[in-house]
Amino acid sequence: MIFENLLYECSDGIATVTINRPKALNALNQATLKELLSLFTALKDDVAVKVVILTGAGEKAFVAGADISEMQPIDAVAGRHFALLGHKLAATIEELSKPVIAAVNGFALGGGCELALCCDMRLASENARFGQPEVNLGVIPGFGGTQRLPRLIGKGRACELLMTGDMVDAAEAYRIGLVNKVLPADELLPAASKLAAKIASKGQVAIGFVKSALRDGLEIDLARACTYEADLFGLCFATADQKEGMLAFLEKRPAQFTDK
Ligand code: CAA
């Protein structure tokens, strides 16, 4: 696949997707959203890919938001379509059975913060800044910020970010649980690759089940979520990886998972 606004590489089961519009601080215009959507849709069936890292080109920004120059003249119908496109991308990332790690290398604002929120984990460089500044523009978040942010950091903290439009630095983002880890800028991608490699070394059926249990279980009541977990746990016993993983433990050797 050839992309105008994305860079893509894959090695050893780890795909790295880089949003590449550094002159606009990697702002998400429709073309970039559509490219991301087709790439993440294709990754679903790509057996060579086990874990995905999502980052932004340049040293300044992960993604500085949806593209304001493209949004400024549009009407209500187009605005809704634009939001639905962002939601479709977020849902595609969340529904991908493979983990997606956001490596946030600078500004993650508006749609950029929302893009990081739909990833499974977030690592941030020390110069990263997070925020939902939409109210400064007379709008609200359109790619899920009013929903995923409170689910991740709690309603009160989310409310403050959503209503003030203020940015928080990486240390504060870590303190409030918005990111998993903060690293010096030059260590961000190596750390994301190391984390991805560790996850890629496990049986990928189990990794996909963990993602499903977290995603779907958190949206239903605890009793039904635990039943869902039991269903998935049971299904693990239909896999070669379960037989191998447990046999390897008993034989005191590393497991050789085949993702089957
Ligand atoms: N859309 C379009 N272009 C953007 C952009 C965006 N979201 N963010 C930055 N750019 C462009 C700037 O217009 C500028 O372009 P020119 O050089 O052609 O003038 C270039 O990127 C560099 O930006 P700045 O000169 O502004 O850089 P800075 O270092 O002075 O400031 C910043 C950096 C604080 C991130 C600032 O660019 C900024 O505030 N950007 C907008 C952030 C924002 O409001 N994001 C939310 C958008 S709305 C949204 O995302 C809705 C949604 O939920 C779907």
Side-chain angles (χ1 to χ4, degrees):
M1 278 185 284
I2 297 188
F3 299 106
E4 196 186 329
N5 301 310
L6 304 178
L7 303 173
Y8 179 77
E9 61 181 53
C10 179
S11 69
D12 299 327
I14 300 163
T16 302
V17 178
T18 306
I19 298 166
N20 187 31
R21 296 186 74 213
K23 283 189 184 147
L25 302 187
N26 303 322
L28 297 172
N29 57 5
Q30 288 209 47
T32 307
L33 286 169
K34 284 179 184 166
E35 286 188 352
L36 283 166
L37 185 58
S38 58
L39 177 54
F40 276 96
T41 303
L43 287 177
K44 196 169 113 190
D45 299 318
D46 189 338
V47 288
V49 174
K50 296 184 178 186
V51 183
V52 184
I53 296 170
L54 179 61
T55 193
E59 287 163 11
K60 207 168 157 184
F62 173 68
V63 169
D67 192 311
I68 299 169
S69 60
E70 200 179 72
M71 280 185 295
Q72 195 278 334
I74 66 177
D75 64 14
V77 173
R80 183 169 184 274
H81 278 296
F82 187 58
L84 290 176
L85 179 60
H87 281 293
K88 195 169 174 187
L89 171 63
T92 302
I93 292 173
E94 283 182 336
E95 281 158 24
L96 189 71
S97 62
K98 306 160 194 210
V100 182
I101 300 167
V104 180
N105 55 307
F107 292 110
L109 302 175
C113 187
E114 292 166 299
L115 187 61
L117 285 170
C118 69
C119 295
D120 298 296
M121 284 163 274
R122 284 149 293 280
L123 304 185
S125 58
E126 285 169 347
N127 65 323
R129 298 283 178 277
F130 294 80
Q132 297 288 165
E134 286 87 348
V135 289
N136 297 332
L137 302 166
V139 295
I140 69 168
F143 298 166
T146 62
Q147 303 309 309
R148 291 190 181 86
L149 190 61
R151 280 166 170 76
L152 187 66
I153 66 171
K155 189 176 166 191
R157 285 186 174 127
C159 189
E160 190 176 336
L161 285 175
L162 292 162
M163 290 189 178
T164 62
D166 285 348
M167 287 187 221
V168 292
D169 64 17
E172 177 67 357
Y174 176 72
R175 194 186 71 77
I176 63 178
L178 184 44
V179 300
N180 295 58
K181 206 169 194 174
V182 179
L183 299 127
D186 61 344
E187 291 174 27
L188 178 67
L189 282 179
S193 297
K194 198 172 160 195
L195 176 61
K198 182 179 265 192
I199 295 168
S201 73
K202 318 292 177 190
Q204 295 309 298
V205 179
I207 294 294
F209 284 177
V210 169
K211 182 159 172 172
S212 293
L214 281 167
R215 181 192 59 226
D216 299 335
L218 283 174
E219 297 304 320
I220 55 178
D221 65 82
L222 183 61
R224 282 192 299 151
C226 288
T227 303
Y228 181 48
E229 186 194 72
D231 292 343
L232 292 174
F233 182 76
L235 265 184
C236 291
F237 290 81
T239 68
D241 282 351
Q242 175 271 326
K243 296 287 172 274
E244 165 62 10
M246 292 193 180
L247 185 64
F249 175 83
L250 295 171
E251 292 179 352
K252 301 189 189 306
R253 61 171 174 82
Q256 299 291 325
F257 292 119
T258 53
D259 306 332
K260 292 190 175 97

